[in-house]
């Protein structure tokens, strides 16, 4: 095998001069092309670098993902401060803003503003604190409130203020509860048997009354009133010198009188006027109908003592003629029903008179009980608000108003006696409106009789 002629060529040491001299122009051009391509790629990468917003978004995305890697060629851009809020935006603090400590506010007392109160608020203030200005103007406002607005009550007629309004309108004095309890502890009064005969019949068909008021309450109240009237009568007789409890023969004048005079005069007896049979104009201690008169007081009051005070004041100051032995005040009131009806509705009055239907036939219970015998009981209470505000004598005109409401039925009925055996249910508001409209028609002399008949 022959050797290659190249093997026999001596090996030359590399030299930069020789290498530079050996390079051809073509190789230089290639080198320049490589440098140009490198510079071009560097400029292209710089030109196509992401914008500032893109870099911020990338940086935020890297922070959210928890990535620790970042581009060394692009300097990191600090993220904007983020606020992780747990409260409302109104409490936000702007970045780079100095937060000053809160300045404690000085308590400034509010000025008293005169806020117009409602009539109900004025009524409660009057009951709780008394009149703020003049007493007469406060009573006038109270009466006006009763007439126009009426006392607020529930469907059963219960009102927290009613009994106190009644006590104010009746001008009832305050009474300690112990005084009432002392009368109850005295036991049966001289009129106890008469009271027991009537109490079980008191509003017997009214479920509202039976649910709230027991017969025992009626007995205690009437018995206490009977004792009070008994004591007042005994005191009056003692002051006049006609009785001497220490002398069995009676008054000192009878000690030297003849037996005939003693027999005619007789010993003084307080039980002569007891019960419904008592006659004359002497004040009795109980008459039939007082049980119905006391029923609304017991229903509206919050205690028996309150009912006792109001009821005793009413029968002794407003209508003492109704509890006299002969009940002369009731008979006068019945006669006034005929007179007033002939004035306010002559045609209806003449028709009833032609049928022999005088007021004494149908109006006696309504006069005696102030319309308390006619249901429903809540309407009775509203009507009594009106009567206590403007006078119980207006009960006569209220009875006439009930007849006017029934006018068409009565005029078309061939037998009004059957219609008037029981009056229709009370409509307190309508009765009050009709009564007020009838007042200007009543002459002054008849009005005086109304005021003083009881």
């Amino acid at each position: 095998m022959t050797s290659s002629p190249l093997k026999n060529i001596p090996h030359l040491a590399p030299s930069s001069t020789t290498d530079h001299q050996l390079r051809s122009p073509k190789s230089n051009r290639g080198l320049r092309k490589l440098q140009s391509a490198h510079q071009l790629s560097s400029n292209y990468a710089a030109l196509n670098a992401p914008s500032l917003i893109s870099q911020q978004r990338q940086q935020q995305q890297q922070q959210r993902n928890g990535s620790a890697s970042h581009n060394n060629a692009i300097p990191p851009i600090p993220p904007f401060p983020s606020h992780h809020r747990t409260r409302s935006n109104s409490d936000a603090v702007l970045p780079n803003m100095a937060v000053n400590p809160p300045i404690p506010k000085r308590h400034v007392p509010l000025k008293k503003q005169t806020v117009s109160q409602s009539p109900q608020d004025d009524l409660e203030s009057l009951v709780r604190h008394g009149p703020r200005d003049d007493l007469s103007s406060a009573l006038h406002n109270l009466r006006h409130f009763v007439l126009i607005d009426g006392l607020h009550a529930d469907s059963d007629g219960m009102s927290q203020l009613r009994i106190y309004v009644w006590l104010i309108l009746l001008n009832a004095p305050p009474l300690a509860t112990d005084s009432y309890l002392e009368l109850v502890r005295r036991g049966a009064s001289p009129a106890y048997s008469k009271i027991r005969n009537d109490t079980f019949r008191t509003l017997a068909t009214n479920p509202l009354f039976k649910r709230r008021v027991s017969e025992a309450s009626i007995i205690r109240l009437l018995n206490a009133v009977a004792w009070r009237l008994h004591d007042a009568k005994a005191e009056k007789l003692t002051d006049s010198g006609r009785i001497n409890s220490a002398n069995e023969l009676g008054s000192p004048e009878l000690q030297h009188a003849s037996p005939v005079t003693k027999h005619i005069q007789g010993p003084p007896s307080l039980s002569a006027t007891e019960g419904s049979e008592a006659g004359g104009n002497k004040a009795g201690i109980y008459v039939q109908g007082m049980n119905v008169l006391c029923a609304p007081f017991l229903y509206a009051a919050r205690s028996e003592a309150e009912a006792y005070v109001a009821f005793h004041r009413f029968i002794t100051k407003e209508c003492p003629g109704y509890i006299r032995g002969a009940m002369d005040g009731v008979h006068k009131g019945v006669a006034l029903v005929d007179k007033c009806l002939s004035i306010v509705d002559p045609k209806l009055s003449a028709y009833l008179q032609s049928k022999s239907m005088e007021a004494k036939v149908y109006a006696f219970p309504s006069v005696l009980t102030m319309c308390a015998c006619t249901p429903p009981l809540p309407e009775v209470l509203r009507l009594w608000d009106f009567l206590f505000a403007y006078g119980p004598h207006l009960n006569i005109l209220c009875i006439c108003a009930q007849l006017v409401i029934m006018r068409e039925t009565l005029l078309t009925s061939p037998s009004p006696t059957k219609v008037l055996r029981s009056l229709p249910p009370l409509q307190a508001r309508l009765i009050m409106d009709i009564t007020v409209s009838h007042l200007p028609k009543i002459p002054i002399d008849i009005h005086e009789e109304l005021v003083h008949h009881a």
Side-chain angles (χ1 to χ4, degrees):
M1 181 176 182
T2 60
S3 60
S4 173
L6 295 177
K7 291 182 179 181
N8 298 324
I9 296 175
H11 178 71
L12 296 178
S15 172
S16 60
T17 304
T18 309
D19 182 60
H20 179 72
Q21 291 175 356
L22 293 176
R23 289 179 182 173
S24 64
K26 186 175 181 179
S27 62
N28 290 335
R29 284 197 299 271
L31 183 60
R32 284 196 299 271
K33 287 182 181 180
L34 291 175
Q35 292 175 354
S36 299
H38 177 71
Q39 292 177 0
L40 183 61
S41 62
S42 299
N43 293 337
Y44 178 81
L47 290 175
N48 291 277
S51 63
L52 183 61
I53 295 177
S54 299
Q55 296 175 14
Q56 293 174 359
R57 289 178 180 175
Q58 292 177 3
Q59 187 68 21
Q60 292 176 359
Q61 185 66 27
Q62 292 175 1
Q63 290 179 355
R64 290 173 186 172
N65 298 333
S67 175
S69 60
H70 58 276
N71 191 359
N72 294 329
I74 303 173
I77 299 175
F80 287 112
S82 60
H83 302 279
H84 301 283
R85 305 195 52 81
T86 58
R87 299 180 65 185
S88 62
N89 291 333
S90 60
D91 298 332
V93 180
L94 297 178
N96 301 326
M97 179 180 290
V99 180
N100 297 325
I103 302 175
K105 293 183 179 179
R106 188 164 56 95
H107 177 69
V108 180
L110 296 176
K111 293 183 179 179
K112 260 190 179 178
Q113 298 180 354
T114 56
V115 182
S116 58
Q117 295 183 344
S118 64
Q120 184 70 19
D121 295 335
D122 293 337
L123 177 62
E124 293 182 3
S125 176
L126 174 63
V127 171
R128 294 179 182 274
H129 310 293
R132 286 177 289 185
D133 300 323
D134 185 24
L135 177 61
S136 60
S137 62
L139 288 175
H140 173 75
N141 294 334
L142 176 59
R143 294 187 178 100
H144 186 265
F145 177 82
V146 170
L147 178 63
I148 302 301
D149 299 321
L151 300 180
H152 292 181
D154 57 18
S155 58
D156 293 342
M158 299 305 301
S159 173
Q160 294 183 351
L161 299 178
R162 172 166 280 125
I163 186 60
Y164 303 111
V165 171
W166 286 3
L167 291 171
I168 292 172
L169 295 174
L170 293 172
N171 195 22
L175 179 74
T177 306
D178 292 339
S179 301
Y180 172 71
L181 295 178
E182 289 177 3
L183 294 172
V184 174
R185 292 190 188 102
R186 291 172 66 175
S189 68
Y192 181 74
S193 60
K194 299 292 181 182
I195 292 173
R196 289 301 304 268
N197 289 337
D198 291 341
T199 52
F200 73 94
R201 293 192 294 261
T202 305
L203 304 184
T205 59
N206 194 312
L208 292 178
F209 180 78
K210 287 297 182 181
R211 186 170 65 234
R212 181 171 174 83
V213 182
S214 64
E215 184 183 358
S217 297
I218 305 174
I219 294 173
R220 284 192 296 266
L221 176 63
L222 292 176
N223 204 60
V225 170
W227 273 123
R228 182 79 178 271
L229 296 177
H230 179 276
D231 295 344
K233 184 179 179 181
E235 184 180 355
K236 185 177 181 180
L237 292 177
T238 303
D239 293 340
S240 63
R242 290 183 298 170
I243 186 171
N244 186 1
S245 59
N247 192 343
E248 294 181 357
L249 296 178
S251 61
E253 292 84 355
L254 292 178
Q255 295 181 15
H256 304 286
S258 63
V260 177
T261 306
K262 292 180 181 180
H263 177 72
I264 295 174
Q265 184 73 19
S269 174
L270 295 181
S271 62
T273 57
E274 173 190 338
S276 304
E277 293 84 1
N281 292 329
K282 297 179 181 179
I285 60 176
Y286 178 77
V287 295
Q288 191 174 12
M290 288 175 63
N291 59 315
V292 182
L293 267 178
C294 77
F297 290 102
L298 283 170
Y299 186 83
R302 305 180 69 179
S303 67
E304 287 184 25
E306 291 176 348
Y308 163 77
V309 173
F311 176 62
H312 180 266
R313 181 74 178 185
F314 175 68
I315 62 176
T316 56
K317 299 299 180 181
E318 299 296 336
C319 57
Y322 284 17
I323 63 169
R324 294 193 185 109
M327 294 188 289
D328 56 334
V330 181
H331 291 288
K332 290 179 182 178
V334 170
L336 284 170
V337 172
D338 287 330
K339 287 185 180 180
C340 294
L341 184 62
S342 64
I343 296 172
V344 299
D345 197 334
K347 182 178 179 180
L348 178 59
S349 176
Y351 180 76
L352 294 177
Q353 292 291 336
S354 66
K355 299 292 184 179
S356 301
M357 285 295 296
E358 297 180 353
K360 62 182 179 182
V361 177
Y362 59 86
F364 192 89
S366 297
V367 175
L368 173 61
T369 63
M370 297 285 172
C371 294
C373 60
T374 306
L377 187 55
E379 294 297 313
V380 173
L381 301 179
R382 294 187 184 96
L383 187 61
W384 277 31
D385 296 340
F386 170 70
L387 294 179
F388 292 161
Y390 292 95
H393 63 279
L394 293 179
N395 178 54
I396 305 301
L397 294 180
C398 290
I399 298 173
C400 295
Q402 294 181 68
L403 297 175
V404 172
I405 295 174
M406 304 170 59
R407 187 176 191 273
E408 297 301 326
T409 305
L410 292 173
L411 291 177
T412 57
S413 174
S415 179
T417 308
K418 296 180 180 179
V419 179
L420 292 175
R421 282 178 182 173
S422 61
L423 295 177
L426 286 179
Q427 304 177 53
R429 172 51 59 185
L430 181 58
I431 292 173
M432 290 161 53
D433 294 341
I434 296 175
T435 300
V436 173
S437 66
H438 286 169
L439 271 175
K441 303 178 183 179
I442 305 299
I444 297 179
D445 55 340
I446 302 297
H447 188 269
E448 289 294 327
E449 290 185 36
L450 287 172
V451 173
H452 297 103
H453 82 277

